[in-house]
Amino acid sequence: MAFEKDFNLDATELRLGLPGTSEESEKQASTTLRISNKRAMPDMNEDSSVAADKKCDQETAPPTKAQVVGWPPIRSYRKNSLQTKKTEAETCGMYVKVSMDGAPYLRKIDLKMYKGYPELLKALEDMFKFKVGKYSEREGYNGSEFVPTYEDKDGDLMLVGDVPWEMFTNSCKRLRIMKGSEARGLGCVV
Amino acid sequence: MFWGSRKTIDMNYFPDEVLEHVFDFITSHKDRNSVSLVCKSWYKIEKYSRQRVFLGNCYSISPERLIARFPGLKSLILKGKPHFADFNLVPDDWGGFLYPWIKAMAKSRIGLEELRLKRMVVSDESLELLSESFPNFKSLVLVSCEGFTTDGLAAIAANCRFLRELDLQENEVEDHRGYWLSCFPGSCTSLVSLNFACLKGEINLASLERLVARSPNLKSLRLNRAVPFDTLQRLLIRAPQLVDLGTGSYIHDPSSEAYNKLKAAIQNCNSIRSLSGFLEVAPCCMPAIYPICENLTFLNLSYAAGLQSNELTRLIHHCRKLQRLWILDCIGDKGLGVVASTCKELQELRVFPSDPFDAGNAAVTEEGLVLVSEGCPKLNSLLYFCQQMTNAALITVAKNCTNFIRFRLCILDPIKPDPVTNQPLDEGFGAIVRSCKGLKRLSLSGLLTDQVFYYIGMYAKKLEMLSIAFAGNSDKGMLYVLNGCKKLRKLEIRDCPFGDTALLEDMGKYETMRSLWMSTCEVTLGACKVLAKKMPSLNVEIINESEQTEFNLDDRQKVDKMYLYRTLVGHRKDAPEFVWLL
C-alpha cells in the first residue's frame, strides 16, 4: 500500500519497554524517545529541557513498568483504586508465625503469597518436612499425626481449612502445627 | 377556534399559556434551543418556561448571563475540565469551580432543584452554600469531581430537607470519617437514590440502617467498602424494593447464619435490575446473588478485583437479560465467549484493565471482542482495553455489529500494529466507520497513519467526539477529520504530528465545535496567537507547566498543551498563572 512509505514512525516512536512486546521493545530499546525532543527550545539542549523532565516517558526509563503520562486512559480514581489494592497486596504482607510442636524454633510465612489452602499446606509441608492428612469437613485431617491449626482474632485455636480462604487470611494470627496425642481433640483421626 | 375563517394561522393569537403548555412537551435541549429561535415571542415564552439547562462547558457562558436568560432554572448540568483531565493531563487548579455558579444562583434566588456536575472543582464552601440557598433542592450528582470533603456532604445531608438523590461517582473525596451520614435528620424520608461507593472512610453503620429504614422510596443504594456483609444483609431486609444495588465489602463464611440470612433477603429483592460494587469479595459468597441475576439489566464488576475468570463466567451464565456489562479484563477471551453465548440482549460492554501498567498481561485480545460481536448483535457501545487488535478482527466486528454509537478501543501499548500482519490498524478502524453509520463517539489506538483519518473524514458523518493518541503522520490527518466530520463537537488529540497548517486551515470550524484539545503535537505558540486574534469567539488557552514566562518564548516554540473552546463571554477571570489566555 502506497501510504506505507509515509510512515514516519520516528516521530511517534515510543519506547515503553513493556514485557511481552517482543520485537517492538527490542527495537525501541536503543532509540531515544522522540516525543520529548519536540518539547525542547530551538536552541536548548534536549537534556536540559524542563518540560521533558516533568513527563514520565523518559528514554532512560527501566524496561519494565515504564509509564506514559495519562496512558492508558483510565480515570485517576480507578487507577488509584487498583494501585491501592495492589499495594495492599504487595507491600503489606501478612506475616504470621508458624510453630511446630517439638521444633526448636519458629518460622514466619506471608499468607498473601498463597492463593489458597492447598498451596499453604504444601508450603508448610516443605518447610517443616511433614505431611498433613486428607481434609474432610466432618473429620478434620485424616491419616497423619500432624494437624495444621491456627489462632484466630478471638484467641481461639481453630482447624485450618474450615472457613473460606479470605476469611482465614483476615482472621489468622498465628499458625501451629500440632502433633500426636494433643492433636486428637481437634478431630484428627490417626 | 380560528381555523375556518383564515388561510394562515397567526400563532400570535395563541395565548402564551397555550404555547408554554406545548413547549412543555419539548424536552430535548436541542429542540428547545431551536424553538427559541423561531420568533421573538417564542423566544420569550421559551426563556421563561425553560427549567432544564445543559452546559457542556462551564466557561462558554457566565452564571449571570445564564440566570438572566433562564430565570426559571430548576435543573442544571455543568461540565468543567476537559476530558483529558481524567487522565492527569490537566494540572490542579486549572479551573472549573462550582462556587461562582452557586453564589450567583443564590443571589438571584433561583429555585434550583437539581445539579449534575462532571469534572468540576467542588469546595465544601460551595456545598454548604448550596444546601442553605435552595429550599427545594432535590438532586445532587457529582461525577469525577474533586475539592470537597465529607464535611460538605454533611451540610447537604443536614440542610436539604427534600433531598431525593445524592449520587457520588468516582470522585476524589477527602474523607473525615463517618459522621456525615448521621446528619440526615430523622425527618428526612424522601431519599430515592444514595450512592457513596467512592468514599474511602468508615461509615456510621447504625445511622445507615436507620436512614434506609425510614426511606420507603429508596430505589438505588450503592455502598462503600466500609459497609460489611452483615450490614448489607440487614439493609436488604429493610429495602426489598431496591432497583439498583451496589454492595460494599462482600466477604463472609458461606456456612454461617448471616450468609443464609442474606440469601433469603436477596431472594426477596425481586426488583433489582442493576448490580455493582463487590469492592472486596469472597468468590464463594457469589452464589447468594444468583437468584437475582436472571433479571439484571446492568452488571458492574469493574471494581471486583477479587473475582477470577471462572467465577465471573459462572455468574454471567445466570444473566440472560443483561443489557450493559462493565467488567475487568481478567474475564479473558474465553469468558467473553460466555458473555457472547449468554447475553443476547447486550448493548453496552466495557472491559477495563485489571493491571493497567503491565500491558503484557492484559488478559483480553481481539478474540474476545470478535466473540462478543458474533453473539451480541445489539451491541452499540464499547469500551475495550486489550493487549492487541488485528485488522481482520475489526473488520469482522464491523460486519457483525453495524449499530455502534460509541466505539472506544484502547490497546495498552499505544502504537502497537496488527501483530499478525505488522500493519497499522487503519483498515480495521476504516471498516468500523464505514459500517457503523450512526457512530457518534470514537477513540483510536494502536499504530495508525493518516489513512485512518482519511476514512474517518470520508465515512464518519455523524461523529461528534473523537479521541486520538500517538497517531497519524502529517497535518493531512487532522485536516481529513476537520473537513469531513461535519457534526464534530469535541476533538482531543495527544502526541500526534499535527501542526500549524492543520490548526489554521479552517478557523471557523471551531465555532461549530464545543472544544479542541491538542497536547504534545506540533502546534506553535505563534499559530495559537494567530488563531486567538482572528477568532474572538474562541478562547485559546495554553497550559504551560515549565518555568518560562510568556515574554521569553519564541513564537516558533511548540506549545505543550492547548485547549480552545467557543464562548460567549471572552476570557475567563479565574485562570491560574500557568494558563495563558491568548
Side-chain angles (χ1 to χ4, degrees):
Chain A
M1 293 192 260
F3 63 86
E4 273 184 84
K5 309 269 188 326
D6 290 337
F7 279 7
N8 185 12
L9 288 179
D10 286 351
T12 53
E13 195 161 48
L14 174 67
R15 188 188 137 258
L16 294 175
L18 296 160
T21 51
S22 56
E23 272 173 50
E24 275 104 318
S25 55
E26 273 157 34
K27 233 190 322 180
Q28 290 157 9
S30 53
T31 60
T32 56
L33 229 197
R34 293 308 196 87
I35 289 167
S36 58
N37 290 352
K38 291 182 208 164
R39 296 283 69 76
M41 288 275 277
D43 53 349
M44 264 173 85
N45 190 329
E46 67 209 31
D47 291 359
S48 49
S49 162
V50 175
D53 285 348
K54 297 239 171 134
K55 294 198 202 138
C56 298
D57 42 353
Q58 289 297 306
E59 51 267 46
T60 50
T64 55
K65 305 282 184 191
Q67 293 173 25
V68 179
V69 172
W71 194 270
I74 60 176
R75 273 195 187 147
S76 326
Y77 174 82
R78 182 177 285 280
K79 232 188 278 193
N80 293 340
S81 298
L82 291 173
Q83 299 230 290
T84 316
K85 284 183 185 157
K86 274 205 105 189
T87 317
E88 280 172 6
E90 280 168 7
T91 65
C92 280
M94 232 185 210
Y95 283 93
V96 295
K97 291 183 189 168
V98 190
S99 62
M100 165 122 131
D101 293 353
Y105 51 82
L106 281 62
R107 303 295 303 268
K108 253 195 168 164
I109 59 170
D110 178 3
L111 290 180
K112 296 243 178 188
M113 296 295 291
Y114 310 105
K115 292 203 192 113
Y117 288 117
E119 281 185 27
L120 172 66
L121 292 173
K122 175 99 184 23
L124 292 175
E125 285 177 337
D126 289 343
M127 195 180 254
F128 289 97
K129 313 274 181 281
F130 72 101
K131 284 261 177 246
V132 293
K134 188 158 158 35
Y135 173 81
S136 75
E137 204 178 311
R138 221 164 69 84
E139 295 177 348
Y141 289 88
N142 216 334
S144 161
E145 57 167 338
F146 295 99
V147 178
T149 68
Y150 69 101
E151 185 184 314
D152 74 356
K153 273 186 190 151
D154 300 327
D156 297 323
L157 194 61
M158 315 287 296
L159 186 70
V160 168
D162 284 338
V163 299
W165 176 251
E166 292 77 14
M167 218 185 162
F168 166 71
T169 55
N170 279 338
S171 57
C172 170
K173 289 282 155 277
R174 58 187 290 163
L175 284 159
R176 179 180 161 193
I177 301 168
M178 294 181 92
K179 183 178 160 184
S181 50
E182 219 192 321
R184 276 207 193 110
L186 282 176
C188 163
V189 178
V190 180
Chain B
M1 295 179 269
F2 307 99
W3 307 105
S5 54
R6 289 176 180 274
K7 273 194 181 167
T8 56
I9 297 162
D10 188 343
M11 289 300 284
N12 287 330
Y13 275 49
F14 279 113
D16 287 0
E17 303 84 68
V18 173
L19 280 175
E20 206 180 298
H21 183 64
V22 171
F23 292 171
D24 270 351
F25 293 98
I26 302 170
T27 48
S28 127
H29 292 290
K30 264 202 193 130
D31 289 344
R32 288 203 69 117
N33 293 346
S34 305
V35 155
S36 67
L37 292 174
V38 166
C39 65
K40 281 205 181 121
S41 127
W42 281 36
Y43 175 93
K44 196 178 113 201
I45 297 167
E46 201 281 322
K47 165 188 160 113
Y48 287 106
S49 64
R50 176 99 105 166
Q51 294 182 347
R52 320 183 73 85
V53 173
F54 168 80
L55 286 183
N57 175 7
C58 65
Y59 290 118
S60 58
I61 194 164
S62 68
E64 292 74 25
R65 274 184 69 166
L66 176 72
I67 291 165
R69 171 78 193 265
F70 300 118
L73 183 63
K74 289 207 173 123
S75 166
L76 179 62
I77 301 178
L78 277 177
K79 293 189 181 180
K81 301 188 202 179
H83 177 230
F84 276 175
D86 274 347
F87 318 135
N88 290 342
L89 286 176
V90 174
D92 289 339
D93 301 328
W94 173 87
F97 304 107
L98 174 64
Y99 189 77
W101 294 87
I102 303 294
K103 183 157 164 226
M105 286 190 286
K107 185 159 165 221
S108 303
R109 296 197 224 280
I110 292 287
L112 193 69
E113 295 184 11
E114 297 174 359
L115 186 62
R116 187 188 174 99
L117 306 174
K118 194 169 193 181
R119 280 188 291 273
M120 297 223 27
V121 177
V122 178
S123 61
D124 281 346
E125 211 189 340
S126 57
L127 289 177
E128 280 152 20
L129 184 58
L130 182 147
S131 74
E132 290 157 4
S133 312
F134 310 115
N136 285 331
F137 193 75
K138 296 194 172 68
S139 161
L140 182 64
V141 180
L142 303 178
V143 180
S144 198
C145 295
E146 43 152 7
F148 60 106
T149 76
T150 45
D151 295 346
L153 297 178
I156 299 286
N159 301 332
C160 300
R161 293 168 50 215
F162 303 113
L163 194 69
R164 286 200 201 141
E165 179 172 28
L166 179 60
D167 185 357
L168 308 171
Q169 298 176 28
E170 301 193 326
N171 303 290
E172 296 288 352
V173 186
E174 198 180 299
D175 201 316
H176 292 165
R177 315 235 128 200
Y179 88 99
W180 69 274
L181 205 72
S182 320
C183 292
F184 280 106
S187 53
C188 173
T189 57
S190 47
L191 272 183
V192 174
S193 166
L194 178 63
N195 171 8
F196 59 92
C198 64
L199 295 185
K200 306 218 174 61
E202 301 302 311
I203 279 289
N204 185 325
L205 299 175
S207 287
L208 176 62
E209 287 185 45
R210 284 195 297 269
L211 180 61
V212 170
R214 64 176 187 275
S215 304
N217 298 321
L218 192 68
K219 292 279 187 294
S220 168
L221 179 63
R222 295 193 186 186
L223 310 168
N224 77 344
R225 213 168 151 172
V227 180
F229 194 93
D230 353 45
T231 307
L232 172 64
Q233 173 255 311
R234 284 196 290 275
L235 291 171
L236 289 177
I237 290 183
R238 306 263 197 203
Q241 77 282 3
L242 282 179
V243 171
D244 169 23
L245 172 66
T247 68
S249 171
Y250 195 77
I251 297 184
H252 218 278
D253 176 359
S255 60
S256 69
E257 186 59 30
Y259 182 81
N260 289 331
K261 279 192 189 162
L262 182 108
K263 255 170 71 173
I266 286 209
Q267 291 199 330
N268 222 13
C269 298
N270 37 32
S271 302
I272 294 184
R273 297 287 173 271
S274 161
L275 186 62
S276 61
F278 303 97
L279 309 173
E280 266 181 1
V281 55
C284 52
C285 294
M286 294 308 279
I289 62 163
Y290 290 172
I292 52 167
C293 287
E294 55 181 49
N295 287 326
L296 287 182
T297 55
F298 177 37
L299 179 62
N300 179 0
L301 295 174
S302 65
Y303 284 99
L307 293 175
Q308 300 305 312
S309 177
N310 50 350
E311 285 124 14
L312 291 170
T313 47
R314 246 195 299 256
L315 182 66
I316 288 180
H317 268 301
H318 297 263
C319 304
R320 276 175 209 295
K321 292 201 189 139
L322 220 51
Q323 293 173 14
R324 297 167 61 210
L325 175 63
W326 294 19
I327 203 139
L328 288 173
D329 64 1
C330 44
I331 192 176
D333 289 330
K334 281 222 186 85
L336 288 176
V338 174
V339 172
S341 53
T342 313
C343 310
K344 295 307 184 186
E345 301 298 313
L346 198 68
Q347 295 174 27
E348 174 179 327
L349 174 67
R350 297 196 189 192
V351 180
F352 293 94
S354 43
D355 196 352
F357 303 111
D358 206 356
N361 273 345
V364 298
T365 68
E366 76 277 9
E367 289 178 18
L369 184 59
V370 169
L371 288 172
V372 175
S373 75
E374 281 163 2
C376 309
K378 293 188 183 176
L379 198 64
N380 63 39
S381 174
L382 180 76
L383 173 60
Y384 196 74
F385 286 84
C386 59
Q387 187 180 330
Q388 62 183 46
M389 185 54 57
T390 63
N391 282 312
L394 285 173
I395 291 169
T396 306
V397 169
K399 221 180 327 196
N400 293 336
C401 295
T402 56
N403 295 324
F404 277 116
I405 300 174
R406 271 169 247 113
F407 191 89
R408 297 154 71 188
L409 186 71
C410 179
I411 302 166
L412 288 172
D413 182 351
I415 47 169
K416 193 168 173 144
D418 178 330
V420 172
T421 62
N422 230 33
Q423 296 298 301
L425 292 176
D426 303 334
E427 295 307 309
F429 281 107
I432 294 285
V433 294
R434 213 176 345 225
S435 152
C436 304
K437 310 226 187 295
L439 193 68
K440 286 191 181 169
R441 182 170 181 183
L442 178 64
S443 298
L444 308 170
S445 62
L447 185 66
L448 295 163
T449 73
D450 285 347
Q451 185 68 12
V452 73
F453 301 113
Y454 173 79
Y455 291 138
I456 292 173
M458 168 89 37
Y459 297 112
K461 291 309 182 189
K462 298 259 169 76
L463 194 66
E464 296 180 9
M465 181 169 179
L466 179 61
S467 308
I468 311 171
F470 305 103
N473 312 114
S474 74
D475 283 348
K476 280 199 294 188
M478 185 167 164
L479 285 171
Y480 288 139
V481 171
L482 291 175
N483 293 334
C485 299
K486 303 294 181 201
K487 299 265 175 150
L488 196 63
R489 293 189 298 114
K490 288 179 282 181
L491 179 58
E492 46 187 26
I493 305 172
R494 64 163 293 180
D495 294 273
C496 296
F498 303 143
D500 298 345
T501 311
L503 182 71
L504 298 178
E505 163 114 345
D506 178 7
M507 295 189 262
K509 170 82 177 170
Y510 306 125
E511 274 178 337
T512 69
M513 291 167 54
R514 184 187 298 171
S515 64
L516 168 66
W517 168 282
M518 291 181 77
S519 60
T520 323
C521 296
E522 302 279 326
V523 168
T524 66
L525 181 60
C528 294
K529 285 182 178 171
V530 166
L531 181 55
K533 186 142 188 249
K534 290 252 168 81
M535 305 292 299
S537 57
L538 302 177
N539 274 354
V540 180
E541 301 186 2
I542 307 292
I543 296 174
N544 177 49
E545 290 169 279
S546 74
E547 268 119 47
Q548 294 137 349
T549 61
E550 198 165 346
F551 315 104
N552 292 347
L553 270 196
D554 200 324
D555 276 0
R556 289 169 296 158
Q557 163 83 355
K558 300 212 177 90
V559 300
D560 214 11
K561 295 172 181 170
M562 178 205 73
Y563 179 57
L564 67 82
Y565 52 90
R566 67 181 174 192
T567 179
L568 292 173
V569 290
H571 284 173
R572 58 186 174 112
K573 311 281 184 300
D574 62 1
E577 263 180 30
F578 55 81
V579 173
W580 300 345
L581 308 172
L582 297 184

